[in-house]
């Protein structure tokens, strides 16, 4: 029996940018609730909401100041979960267990006095020769240690200094987190996406991290430490006392054996594999290699994940699209992630082909990672123009612009000025127009999602074949007596029809070529339901 998430399509909603119900320029629950029918008609199964808890939003909610409250910008959750469930849509909440905001009451108490019982909920070290205790770097740049003048000690933050790492070696921290998770599960949340979950433990020797040949820090002692898998097991057994809840883990590692160690029975149900997701430029060989690797390493209870975009990476239509090929690439990649083996994670706006947001002035940049990159570049002597280029490169604003609902002012997102700007290219890239066009990216996604839902081979089949010929990736998946073949010619050359496709078949979907022939056209896609034996 498959569990619901094994067949599901997840859809990531970036809270401040999706739908603005109260018209203050920031997305909220009211807007989200109004869009529940949109999700239902699109055909996704589960929403992943980025953090919606109270937060000063130094990192847009990944800096939580009260885990029990909804941030004032997002209004109230009211009947949102109930309404989603009525439409058979599940909801998972992004949860940051690794760090709190420096504005959290726990940290305020901890910093108030070195003898405060909450002091040990965070990680404090004395200076060494007037310097931070080691060379650990923050993932946003600069030292991971912030000096507290009052006590003369440093505190540790793997991200911004306003995101203070909790000390998971202290059992009270774990206890507090479990209580809080139960609170949200009782409210009907269907599970969690666990932020940077492999960072919960740091090495208690606090040794210096090594650096590679390019002087880049290797995060040897600040993630994936001894004991972390036991913590995963505890979180898993706690959350799974509640029936049917899912745990999705963000494990920042390129090592597939590290990723698989976190997933499976009694651990996390789904672990993101960034190796496919973050391929930097379009590369069919790299995509195929990752699909093959995922098939090789994943055991029965370790699910592959399929995604190319998120709130932390540039949109794949911009990253992968060559001039004139954007729409084709978007459609072929959508076909891939919605039909290959694994759990797809769609990112809001990709279904209409939204483009990256590039700023022409640093004043518009919102993302702390981009802003920090700008400041560090200026400190290193770059000109403002050079620093802006570097900042745009690093900035995650690229994929965080407001959802484009229609062609009215502010793309129908809000009547107020949105909190973040729009990408330059917006024409025709909105829900209203694309719903009306049968050949739009959105209509294509809808068709794919419907096919996926109706064909067991697509939503939970195993590969019978996974091949590449030239720039064409093709595979056969089978389940419940059904065999479906998918052919995706990403290249600019025709490719011979593989022998496995030379059988009686129903065409479930075709793109850029109507009928099967001896060759598959450049940019063409087919989904076939194979009927008989080879001809
Ligand atoms: C990973 C999240 O996806 C990212 O957006 C955030 O900045 C860091 N974790 C820190 O919480």
């Amino acid at each position: 029996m498959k569990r619901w998430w094994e067949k599901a399509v997840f859809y990531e909603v970036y809270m401040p940018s999706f739908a603005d119900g109260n018209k203050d320029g920031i997305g909220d629950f009211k807007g989200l609730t109004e869009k529940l029918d949109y999700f239902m008609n699109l055909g996704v199964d589960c929403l992943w909401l980025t953090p919606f808890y109270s937060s000063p939003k130094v990192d847009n909610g990944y800096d939580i100041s009260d885990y029990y409250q909804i941030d004032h910008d997002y209004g109230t959750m009211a009947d949102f979960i109930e309404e989603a469930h009525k439409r058979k849509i599940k909801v998972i909440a992004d949860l940051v267990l690794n760090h709190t905001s420096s504005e959290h009451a726990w940290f305020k108490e901890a910093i108030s006095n070195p003898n405060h019982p909450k002091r040990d909920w965070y990680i404090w070290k004395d200076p060494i020769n007037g310097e931070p205790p080691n060379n650990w770097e923050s993932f946003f740049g600069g030292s991971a240690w912030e000096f507290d003048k009052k006590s003369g000690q440093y505190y540790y933050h793997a991200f911004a200094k306003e995101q203070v790492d909790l000390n998971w070696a202290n059992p009270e921290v774990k206890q507090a987190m479990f209580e809080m998770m139960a609170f949200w599960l009782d409210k009907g949340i269907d599970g969690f996406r666990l932020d940077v979950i492999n960072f919960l433990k740091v090495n208690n020797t606090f040794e210096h991290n090594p650096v590679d040949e390019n002087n880049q820090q290797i995060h040897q002692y600040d993630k994936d430490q001894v004991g972390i898998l036991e913590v995963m097991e505890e979180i898993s057994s706690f959350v799974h006392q509640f029936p049917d809840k899912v745990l999705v883990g963000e494990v920042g590692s390129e090592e597939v054996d590290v990723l698989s160690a976190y997933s499976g029975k009694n651990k996390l149900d789904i672990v993101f594999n960034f190796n496919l997701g973050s391929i930097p430029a379009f590369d069919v060989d790299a995509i195929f290699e990752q699909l093959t690797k995922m098939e090789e390493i994943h055991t029965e209870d370790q699910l592959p994940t399929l995604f190319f975009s998120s709130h932390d990476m540039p949109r794949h239509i911009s990253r992968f699209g060559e001039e004139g090929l954007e729409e084709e690439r978007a459609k072929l990649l959508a076909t891939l992630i919605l039909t290959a083996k694994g759990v797809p994670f769609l990112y809001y706006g990709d279904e209409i082909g939204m483009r990256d947001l590039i700023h022409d002035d640093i004043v518009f940049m919102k993302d702390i990672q981009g802003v920090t990159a700008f400041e560090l570049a200026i400190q290193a002597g770059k000109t403002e123009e050079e620093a802006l280029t570097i900042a745009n490169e690093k900035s995650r604003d690229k994929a965080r612009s407001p959802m484009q609902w229609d062609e009215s002012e502010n793309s129908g997102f809000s009547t107020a000025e949105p909190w973040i700007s729009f990408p330059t290219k917006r024409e025709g890239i909105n829900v209203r127009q694309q719903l009306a066009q049968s050949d739009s990216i959105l209509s294509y996604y809808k068709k794919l999602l419907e096919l996926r839902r109706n064909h067991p081979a697509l939503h939970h089949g195993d590969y019978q074949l996974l091949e590449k010929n030239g720039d064409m990736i093709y595979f056969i998946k089978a389940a419940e007596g059904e065999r479906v073949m998918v052919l995706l010619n990403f290249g600019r050359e025709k490719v011979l029809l593989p022998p496995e496709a030379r059988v009686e078949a129903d065409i479930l979907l075709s793109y850029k070529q109507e009928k099967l022939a001896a060759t598959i056209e450049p940019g063409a896609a087919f989904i076939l339901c194979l009927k008989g034996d080879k001809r």
Side-chain angles (χ1 to χ4, degrees):
M1 210 6 213
K2 296 276 173 193
R3 294 159 299 180
W4 66 263
W5 56 86
E6 294 179 71
K7 302 188 205 172
V9 174
F10 287 74
Y11 182 107
E12 183 187 356
V13 168
Y14 195 63
M15 278 303 289
S17 298
F18 193 70
D20 180 12
N22 70 346
K23 308 296 174 214
D24 63 352
I26 306 171
D28 49 39
F29 275 109
K30 183 167 183 283
L32 209 51
T33 312
E34 285 162 10
K35 297 299 181 193
L36 282 171
D37 286 340
Y38 171 74
F39 298 121
M40 191 176 68
N41 295 332
L42 180 61
V44 296
D45 304 290
C46 181
L47 306 180
W48 149 22
L49 309 184
T50 57
F52 47 70
Y53 323 88
S54 285
S55 165
K57 302 217 201 65
V58 168
D59 187 16
N60 266 331
Y62 288 91
D63 47 325
I64 301 172
S65 52
D66 187 341
Y67 288 88
Y68 289 89
Q69 298 294 327
I70 307 263
D71 189 82
H72 54 83
D73 281 336
Y74 301 146
T76 81
M77 213 184 236
D79 48 2
F80 170 71
I81 296 180
E82 207 184 309
E83 287 297 319
H85 286 171
K86 267 191 209 158
R87 291 165 177 80
K88 301 211 173 350
I89 296 171
K90 308 234 183 219
V91 180
I92 64 166
D94 211 323
L95 191 57
V96 191
L97 299 177
N98 181 66
H99 45 266
T100 71
S101 160
S102 50
E103 293 296 309
H104 195 292
W106 299 338
F107 186 69
K108 286 190 180 163
E109 288 169 346
I111 202 167
S112 69
N113 172 357
N115 299 319
H116 195 285
K118 287 281 188 322
R119 183 79 171 181
D120 186 51
W121 282 38
Y122 296 88
I123 299 166
W124 301 90
K125 291 304 258 176
D126 290 328
I128 298 183
N129 301 326
E131 297 286 324
N134 63 29
N135 70 345
W136 295 1
E137 275 173 10
S138 144
F139 283 79
F140 292 151
S143 171
W145 296 95
E146 180 70 12
F147 190 59
D148 166 40
K149 271 202 202 116
K150 195 166 155 207
S151 65
Q153 284 196 307
Y154 284 91
Y155 68 80
Y156 175 60
H157 58 92
F159 294 89
K161 65 179 188 319
E162 296 86 354
Q163 294 168 293
V164 194
D165 273 54
L166 284 157
N167 176 17
W168 273 75
N170 184 332
E172 289 172 12
V173 169
K174 190 171 65 193
Q175 199 44 45
M177 288 308 191
F178 282 7
E179 276 166 29
M180 177 271 296
M181 287 194 270
F183 171 83
W184 289 106
L185 293 170
D186 285 338
K187 282 209 177 298
I189 285 283
D190 297 293
F192 299 110
R193 177 262 188 195
L194 300 174
D195 189 62
V196 289
I197 200 65
N198 56 330
F199 286 51
L200 292 199
K201 288 211 150 211
V202 295
N203 195 296
N204 60 13
T205 61
F206 292 93
E207 276 172 72
H208 287 299
N209 274 330
V211 289
D212 67 13
E213 61 282 5
N214 302 320
N215 218 14
Q216 294 292 312
Q217 186 151 119
I218 301 169
H219 290 273
Q220 190 167 324
Y221 297 111
D222 50 8
K223 60 176 194 160
D224 302 314
Q225 295 304 299
V226 175
I228 184 73
L229 296 177
E230 286 71 25
V231 181
M232 293 307 107
E233 283 167 18
E234 284 179 78
I235 294 178
S236 171
S237 73
F238 178 77
V239 168
H240 289 122
Q241 291 169 42
F242 298 75
D244 250 11
K245 307 290 181 185
V246 69
L247 285 173
V248 180
E250 186 201 24
V251 176
S253 175
E254 284 152 25
E255 311 295 326
V256 281
D257 48 338
V258 173
L259 297 179
S260 45
Y262 282 84
S263 65
K265 264 211 174 68
N266 309 325
K267 290 188 221 156
L268 306 180
D269 303 300
I270 302 174
V271 171
F272 289 138
N273 183 335
F274 286 95
N275 293 330
L276 175 70
S278 57
I279 293 173
F282 190 68
D283 181 342
V284 185
D285 292 333
I287 293 175
F288 183 70
E289 190 192 321
Q290 290 306 331
L291 290 178
T292 316
K293 264 200 194 149
M294 285 200 280
E295 181 59 4
E296 281 165 11
I297 61 137
H298 283 276
T299 58
E300 271 289 280
D301 55 358
Q302 294 169 336
L303 295 167
T305 54
L306 300 161
F307 62 92
F308 288 109
S309 289
S310 80
H311 66 288
D312 287 333
M313 42 177 97
R315 290 189 178 274
H316 64 269
I317 194 166
S318 298
R319 197 163 96 225
F320 289 167
E322 284 161 45
E323 189 74 38
L325 289 183
E326 291 92 343
E327 183 163 333
E328 174 192 303
R329 290 265 157 89
K331 287 178 173 171
L332 262 56
L333 290 167
T335 318
L336 181 80
I337 60 176
L338 288 168
T339 62
K341 188 172 155 187
V343 185
F345 283 81
L346 307 182
Y347 184 57
Y348 86 95
D350 280 352
E351 74 274 30
I352 51 171
M354 273 169 55
R355 302 299 205 271
D356 275 355
L357 160 63
I358 309 290
H359 296 294
D360 53 15
D361 192 321
I362 192 68
V363 296
F364 300 119
M365 193 166 285
K366 304 289 175 186
D367 177 27
I368 180 158
Q369 185 165 286
V371 172
T372 309
F374 183 85
E375 285 162 0
L376 292 174
I378 294 288
Q379 278 166 30
K382 304 276 181 202
T383 63
E384 292 226 346
E385 202 182 325
E386 289 164 342
L388 181 63
T389 307
I390 295 169
N392 266 318
E393 200 45 51
K394 281 265 178 190
S395 162
R396 300 167 302 174
D397 281 0
K398 282 199 181 98
R400 297 177 175 183
S401 58
M403 181 68 175
Q404 294 161 200
W405 293 102
D406 59 38
E407 60 277 58
S408 68
E409 204 195 349
N410 297 328
S411 289
F413 169 74
S414 183
T415 43
E417 178 79 13
W419 72 281
I420 190 170
S421 353
F422 286 98
T424 324
K425 187 170 166 49
R426 259 194 288 169
E427 208 188 307
I429 307 177
N430 64 69
V431 171
R432 201 202 64 80
Q433 280 180 290
Q434 293 202 11
L435 277 178
Q437 291 158 359
S438 59
D439 62 348
S440 65
I441 301 183
L442 182 55
S443 298
Y444 191 84
Y445 264 85
K446 282 185 70 177
K447 169 104 183 148
L448 277 174
L449 283 156
E450 189 187 334
L451 278 178
R452 183 186 160 93
R453 208 170 33 252
N454 294 335
H455 291 273
L458 288 181
H459 61 242
H460 72 266
D462 282 317
Y463 288 126
Q464 288 191 336
L465 174 86
L466 174 58
E467 282 289 347
K468 187 178 137 317
N469 182 9
D471 280 341
M472 183 165 85
I473 293 178
Y474 59 99
F475 48 85
I476 297 178
K477 279 170 67 192
E480 299 177 23
E482 184 191 50
R483 291 170 75 229
V484 172
M485 183 163 191
V486 178
L487 300 124
L488 301 164
N489 186 2
F490 289 101
R492 305 312 339 135
E493 311 277 332
K494 292 183 181 195
V495 182
L496 273 184
L497 184 71
E500 293 82 357
R502 291 190 212 133
V503 296
E504 200 189 321
D506 286 341
I507 299 179
L508 302 179
L509 174 144
S510 65
Y511 173 64
K512 284 216 167 159
Q513 177 175 341
E514 234 170 81
K515 293 210 174 88
L516 281 177
T519 53
I520 302 291
E521 295 293 316
F526 279 101
I527 303 181
L528 311 171
C529 188
L530 303 181
K531 291 286 189 195
D533 298 327
K534 279 183 198 167
R535 256 193 258 147

